[in-house]
Amino acid sequence: MSDEYRERLVDEDALASFLTDHLGQVETYDVRRHLEGHSNETLFVTWGDRELVVRRPPPGDVAETAHDVLREYRVTNAVAYTDIPVPEPLFACEDHDVIGSDFYVMERLEGDVLREDEPERFAAPDARARIGEELVDTLATIHELDYKSVGLGEFGRPTGYTQRQVDRWGQQLMWAFEVTAEEREVPDLYDVGEWLQENVPDDHPHTLVHGDYKLDNVMFGPGETPELIGVFDWEMATLGDPRADLGWMLSYWRDSKDPEPAIPELTTRFMEREGYSSRRELVDRWESQTGYTFEHERFYRALAVYKLAGLGEMFFRRYLEGNSDDPMYPKMEARVPALAARAKRIVDGEEPL
């Protein structure tokens, strides 16, 4: 990272003083920025013979409300001693005099996050099947948690969660359209948004939901057999509708029969290979694990893609206003309509589970 950005992100001397107070003096200390994240910032810290992770919001005026790392710490700390695999949280800090923001520290796990391809040791049908099974079994474990028993009874407002999701993402799109509609319209998103409003389920189970559960937000251990050892990025976690979590996970999971992806640059495709579970198999396993049924499956899958389109359209507005130099953002001019078309296919039953 640039020296200027590093200074905004972390005062290394102040962090070292904080860690010394909590963990004792060491001779070896190093701080590195993790480059894969796109929301909260992740710093890898070597502290003596320990490998730690520091999570903080990105620097800037909106960070406190938009990137609540203390909320992330709260839920991680609550589930750390349950069957949900998470890195061990160590402590949180609200004192902005240390690194300029709230932050928390956890132990670093060693393993593989499957983003661009499968590890060579998993390139066999049995291992490939196990990847999907571990992914969905862990999601089921999150949804089966007795959240009140771990102190999360007031962690959110589960009643009305799904309606609020539809409302919120419709509002986000309308905000983006204020600028982007001058470049091009995306009529499919108006149609999908209207359909979602008309088809919000009347009720749903109330569970802990992760909010951003997908393959590249979990880690598999270094062994030959796939074992999911950590779930990351809990900043969107709340109490809500488990079917929305499942729909979101499925929106990222490819089947071999699928059409070309709407955003090829950001799409992981290795699970199209022989041996990986199909989306239908993942849903069947989740249903058998939780006892819930994936009712209204077109709604939840369309909602997930609608949200992805909303994110892309907000990126496109930021690009048009000159507020980002991310090379992906201008591509949203074409990629968002492709996402909208995918959501419309799901609504119309043309892209089955």
Side-chain angles (χ1 to χ4, degrees):
M1 64 184 129
S2 69
D3 290 342
E4 179 184 357
Y5 193 75
R6 177 185 288 271
E7 290 176 4
R8 296 183 66 199
L9 203 57
V10 58
D11 181 329
E12 293 189 23
D13 291 339
L15 179 61
S17 178
F18 175 87
L19 293 174
T20 298
D21 290 344
H22 286 79
L23 299 174
Q25 189 78 36
V26 296
E27 294 184 5
T28 305
Y29 171 52
D30 183 51
V31 180
R32 303 166 308 284
R33 181 189 178 209
H34 180 48
L35 298 177
E36 294 292 342
H38 299 290
S39 184
N40 283 325
E41 291 281 0
T42 300
L43 302 171
F44 293 144
V45 177
T46 298
W47 187 255
D49 59 0
R50 301 177 73 170
E51 294 296 327
L52 309 175
V53 175
V54 173
R55 289 275 284 173
R56 61 150 293 164
D61 293 337
V62 302
E64 287 184 56
T65 56
H67 304 270
D68 192 347
V69 294
L70 296 184
R71 180 180 183 84
E72 186 171 280
Y73 174 79
R74 179 185 172 192
V75 67
T76 304
N77 196 48
V79 306
Y81 302 103
T82 71
D83 291 336
I84 300 170
V86 292
E88 180 185 355
L90 298 177
F91 28 76
C93 178
E94 300 179 63
D95 183 357
H96 289 202
D97 289 339
V98 180
I99 65 170
S101 72
D102 298 334
F103 69 94
Y104 75 92
V105 182
M106 58 185 167
E107 295 281 1
R108 183 176 178 183
L109 297 176
E110 292 300 326
D112 288 294
V113 175
L114 310 190
R115 283 195 175 90
E116 297 178 1
D117 208 343
E118 61 190 9
E120 186 175 340
R121 67 185 186 280
F122 295 166
D126 288 350
R128 288 170 172 171
R130 191 64 201 147
I131 288 171
E133 292 166 357
E134 286 280 295
L135 184 68
V136 79
D137 288 357
T138 302
L139 182 62
T141 301
I142 292 170
H143 295 159
E144 292 175 301
L145 177 72
D146 179 354
Y147 56 82
K148 293 180 181 178
S149 72
V150 295
L152 295 177
E154 304 300 322
F155 193 59
R157 295 180 295 131
T159 301
Y161 169 88
T162 313
Q163 180 67 62
R164 291 195 301 275
Q165 285 281 295
V166 175
D167 293 343
R168 175 190 171 193
W169 286 97
Q171 291 162 5
Q172 303 276 45
L173 275 166
M174 291 307 108
W175 174 82
F177 287 159
E178 290 174 1
V179 173
T180 63
E182 297 177 8
E183 298 294 316
R184 54 96 179 95
E185 292 275 7
V186 190
D188 280 345
L189 285 179
Y190 293 99
D191 295 340
V192 172
E194 183 177 346
W195 184 89
L196 290 171
Q197 283 287 358
E198 293 172 352
N199 288 273
V200 178
D202 293 332
D203 55 31
H204 58 78
H206 294 179
T207 73
L208 177 66
V209 296
H210 180 277
D212 192 17
Y213 191 85
K214 52 195 174 84
L215 187 60
D216 67 355
N217 271 342
V218 304
M219 177 177 280
F220 288 85
E224 292 298 314
T225 300
E227 178 190 5
L228 201 159
I229 62 170
V231 180
F232 307 125
D233 291 358
W234 289 85
E235 65 190 85
M236 303 298 292
T238 189
L239 304 182
D241 184 347
R243 297 185 185 110
D245 254 358
L246 181 60
W248 184 256
M249 185 195 81
L250 294 172
S251 72
Y252 286 91
W253 189 271
R254 297 278 301 177
D255 274 11
S256 58
K257 66 181 184 298
D258 285 347
E260 287 299 301
I263 308 182
E265 302 91 342
L266 299 178
T267 301
T268 300
R269 300 190 63 167
F270 61 81
M271 70 281 290
E272 296 177 27
R273 297 170 186 163
E274 181 182 1
Y276 280 98
S277 302
S278 67
R279 284 191 295 268
R280 179 73 260 177
E281 289 169 334
L282 295 179
V283 168
D284 289 345
R285 192 174 180 94
W286 179 84
E287 289 181 333
S288 67
Q289 295 276 18
T290 63
Y292 300 131
T293 57
F294 193 34
E295 299 172 10
H296 314 287
E297 59 90 4
R298 281 191 302 146
F299 171 88
Y300 289 105
R301 292 194 299 123
L303 174 61
V305 180
Y306 183 72
K307 290 164 63 174
L308 288 170
L311 285 169
E313 199 69 358
M314 288 190 289
F315 294 160
F316 188 43
R317 172 170 173 162
R318 289 183 61 189
Y319 160 72
L320 292 174
E321 293 183 319
N323 291 328
S324 173
D325 60 0
D326 189 316
M328 277 303 301
Y329 285 16
K331 294 181 180 181
M332 293 301 120
E333 181 173 7
R335 300 300 186 245
V336 169
L339 282 169
R342 181 186 176 197
K344 190 72 162 50
R345 289 196 302 273
I346 293 172
V347 165
D348 293 341
E350 296 172 2
E351 191 170 314
L353 182 61

